Amino acid sequence: MRIFFIILLSFNFLLAADYFETAPYVSTSSLGNDDFEKEFNDPKKENIIDPLSGYNIIMTNINDKFYEYLLKPTAQGYAYIVPENARNGIGNFFDNLFFPIRFVNNLLQFKIQNSIDELERFTINSTMGIAGFADVAYSTFNIKSHQEDFGQTLGFYGVGSGFHVVLPLFGSSNLRDIAGLLADAWIDPLNYIAARDINILKNSEQSLYLTGFYTINKTSLHIEEYDNFKKDAIELYPYLRSFYESRRTKLISE
Amino acid sequence: MKQLLYSFLFIYTLTIAPLWALQENEITSFMQKNMDVATTILRDTTLQKSQKAEKIFSIFDTIFDYALMSKLAVGGKHWEGLTPEKQKEFSHVFEETLKISYMEKLDLYTDEKLIIVKSEKIKDSRIHLTTHLIKNKEVYEVIYKFYKDASNNWLIYDVDVLGVSIIQTYRTQFADFLAKESFNNLIIKLKNKDSQPQ
């Protein structure tokens, strides 16, 4: 019995000694020949060419100030007046309006079932969901939305991201996604485009107000998340850039 | 007296000994079990945020390789040029940064479910464990990236959230910061960030 405990004890001490001496840093010595560096230097994961970095940093700061001093207080004031349920409903209403963008881009990427889902969602939510305010398609029929935009479609066809560009108000983007934004704008019901055959809105002033309303409503639903997300930043511009580029790559791969 | 000593040793062995090695075939079961434990902790309304974090860290600390994460975030080239003391100091500060960031996320937790979707062996020394965090109709993908160390233990060296690698994000920012500032200033910056009120 005693022998048993002696063995147990020495085993323990060996383990403990091993732990306290080396365990926290054991990896550092064992890593020399591993290919971690390659994994994290993969050019596909990170936009190394950043010719606009000077401008991008300035625009990031302007956008951040715009958010902190104008958009966020406005959205907070709005959230104070309008209950969350109503804001969710309004969010659903707008999401339902953006149906054409999702439908077309799913189709362009041959995601046929997703396009059918989107079509069903639009039909169900526009009628039973009272003009899209209630997401009946999900709550009753469990049909999920499939977010796709033209930037993702371009990525699907192998178009590279191009360098990073921070847009005024819109925030992080890149050459490919700017092309995508322009294409999506053409079928976006919230836009007024004179050259377009069908316009729900009467003029670009209406479009501006509605887009503003949409933005404030959407922001009001995510203030806490965004503030929390931003707290992690050590350097805001590279943080947002790195996050945006990785996230887009991921979305395109899905 | 002797009995007390023995029982103490016995408990000590049971609790400490198994912690230092996670084998390949145990990864999924370890994570499944402990994600369930973590969910229970998160839902416990009698605990303060810091207590919850403390309990969760005590479970997962053994499988996170913070030293390696520090090295990868700084970048191998820069890391080699640092003295072992600096490396150690940085690792401690960075571990704190990561933990505080995690703790802040607990504010956002409501009633999300955590499930393991799949475990993939990317290559001989890498396993990716894909999990889903489900909140109403939203599904957030979180991938825990394991590697096999020299003594065949599996440890986490990075976590992908929504396709974004946490280490890569820090690495980009540190590279940017170190291009214009000294390494000591980076440590000071992280320390200041760590000591900010939450």
Side-chain angles (χ1 to χ4, degrees):
Chain A
M1 193 62 190
R2 189 175 285 176
I3 298 267
F4 171 70
F5 276 106
I6 288 169
I7 292 169
L8 203 66
L9 186 67
S10 52
F11 178 65
N12 255 315
F13 281 164
L14 274 176
L15 263 174
D18 184 45
Y19 169 65
F20 289 118
E21 263 174 32
T22 55
Y25 299 96
V26 68
S27 47
T28 346
S29 50
S30 64
L31 287 175
N33 51 2
D34 220 327
D35 40 7
F36 280 106
E37 284 299 316
K38 218 168 93 193
E39 198 175 319
F40 285 92
N41 281 338
D42 187 349
K44 269 185 280 177
K45 282 191 178 168
E46 186 60 19
N47 247 18
I48 289 159
I49 309 154
D50 190 4
L52 293 183
S53 65
Y55 154 81
N56 283 341
I57 291 169
I58 295 168
M59 193 44 83
T60 302
N61 285 328
I62 294 175
N63 283 341
D64 187 50
K65 295 276 179 300
F66 173 80
Y67 171 78
E68 288 295 337
Y69 295 108
L70 199 67
L71 185 55
K72 186 174 148 185
T74 311
Q76 279 170 328
Y78 167 78
Y80 184 72
I81 305 166
V82 185
E84 196 177 339
N85 275 345
R87 285 183 282 133
N88 277 326
I90 293 165
N92 287 341
F93 167 78
F94 280 113
D95 281 344
N96 193 47
L97 277 186
F98 295 132
F99 150 77
I101 298 175
R102 293 187 299 267
F103 178 72
V104 169
N105 285 301
N106 272 306
L107 214 54
L108 286 173
Q109 296 175 44
F110 307 111
K111 294 174 178 166
I112 307 301
Q113 186 53 48
N114 290 2
S115 306
I116 296 170
D117 283 357
E118 283 297 336
L119 194 61
E120 284 177 346
R121 281 179 56 81
F122 182 70
T123 317
I124 295 168
N125 285 343
S126 301
T127 51
M128 289 166 67
I130 315 159
F133 281 95
D135 190 354
V136 185
Y138 174 75
S139 58
T140 310
F141 301 98
N142 199 23
I143 310 170
K144 285 180 190 160
S145 178
H146 306 281
Q147 201 66 46
E148 292 288 346
D149 57 49
F150 198 67
Q152 284 168 255
T153 301
L154 290 174
F156 175 82
Y157 286 100
V159 178
S161 63
F163 49 79
H164 194 76
V165 185
V166 179
L167 296 170
L169 305 179
F170 281 93
S172 297
S173 193
N174 56 41
L175 290 183
R176 179 198 57 220
D177 292 341
I178 291 173
L181 280 176
L182 292 172
D184 287 334
W186 182 258
I187 47 174
D188 180 353
L190 280 195
N191 280 335
Y192 174 83
I193 303 169
R196 199 163 64 178
D197 286 340
I198 307 164
N199 274 305
I200 305 176
L201 306 173
K202 288 200 181 72
N203 50 45
S204 38
E205 203 179 324
Q206 280 187 347
S207 162
L208 191 69
Y209 285 140
L210 265 183
T211 308
F213 179 49
Y214 164 73
T215 309
I216 292 166
N217 187 70
K218 189 167 181 178
T219 307
S220 78
L221 292 165
H222 300 285
I223 292 173
E224 218 186 312
E225 277 120 315
Y226 183 69
D227 284 354
N228 205 313
F229 164 76
K230 222 179 77 175
K231 255 191 195 168
D232 281 347
I234 288 156
E235 295 280 281
L236 190 58
Y237 168 63
Y239 177 67
L240 295 176
R241 183 191 65 197
S242 181
F243 180 87
Y244 180 84
E245 295 294 344
S246 310
R247 180 78 190 123
R248 291 295 290 177
T249 308
K250 171 76 176 174
L251 286 173
I252 288 163
S253 76
E254 280 176 351
Chain B
M1 185 61 208
K2 217 179 225 173
Q3 247 176 345
L4 192 71
L5 182 70
Y6 285 158
S7 48
F8 170 74
L9 279 174
F10 188 63
I11 290 167
Y12 177 63
T13 307
L14 279 184
T15 48
I16 305 286
L19 293 181
W20 311 118
L22 185 62
Q23 300 303 313
E24 182 180 342
N25 55 2
E26 297 164 352
I27 290 179
T28 308
S29 57
F30 176 91
M31 290 298 280
Q32 184 65 65
K33 193 180 95 204
N34 287 304
M35 276 161 59
D36 291 345
V37 176
T39 313
T40 317
I41 295 169
L42 287 170
R43 289 185 178 158
D44 189 340
T45 46
T46 62
L47 294 172
Q48 296 288 315
K49 185 172 68 163
S50 57
Q51 290 173 309
K52 289 181 183 177
E54 206 61 48
K55 277 176 183 272
I56 292 171
F57 292 149
S58 73
I59 300 171
F60 291 99
D61 263 358
T62 53
I63 55 160
F64 273 88
D65 189 340
Y66 292 112
L68 174 58
M69 292 169 114
S70 306
K71 178 185 173 174
L72 294 173
V74 170
K77 230 183 193 173
H78 209 102
W79 188 257
E80 304 305 337
L82 301 169
T83 62
E85 292 78 40
K86 273 278 161 251
Q87 293 181 350
K88 214 165 180 171
E89 185 187 0
F90 180 83
S91 297
H92 284 301
V93 178
F94 187 55
E95 179 178 337
E96 198 60 21
T97 307
L98 290 171
K99 286 184 170 173
I100 287 174
S101 157
Y102 176 81
M103 214 158 95
E104 283 169 347
K105 303 289 168 292
L106 295 187
D107 285 334
L108 301 174
Y109 184 86
T110 43
D111 58 345
E112 290 85 349
K113 265 190 292 183
L114 290 166
I115 56 162
I116 291 177
V117 182
K118 61 180 174 191
S119 160
E120 271 175 301
K121 196 158 187 177
I122 304 298
K123 54 181 170 183
D124 191 43
S125 58
R126 298 281 192 286
I127 285 176
H128 287 188
L129 189 83
T130 306
T131 66
H132 280 175
L133 195 141
I134 304 165
K135 182 183 189 179
N136 302 327
K137 56 179 167 177
E138 310 280 356
V139 175
Y140 302 95
E141 186 185 83
V142 180
I143 299 175
Y144 295 92
K145 297 196 249 178
F146 289 83
Y147 82 101
K148 187 165 70 176
D149 77 359
S151 35
N152 285 338
N153 297 333
W154 290 82
L155 296 162
I156 294 174
Y157 68 96
D158 190 14
V159 180
D160 275 5
V161 181
L162 301 170
V164 181
S165 148
I166 289 180
I167 295 303
Q168 184 76 55
T169 312
Y170 278 110
R171 192 179 166 104
T172 310
Q173 296 178 83
F174 290 165
D176 201 82
F177 188 88
L178 291 172
K180 47 185 201 246
E181 303 250 13
S182 72
F183 194 78
N184 277 332
N185 282 351
L186 178 61
I187 294 184
I188 293 169
K189 182 149 190 168
L190 289 182
K191 273 186 180 162
N192 286 340
K193 209 170 129 51
D194 292 351
S195 58
Q196 269 167 19
Q198 269 116 72

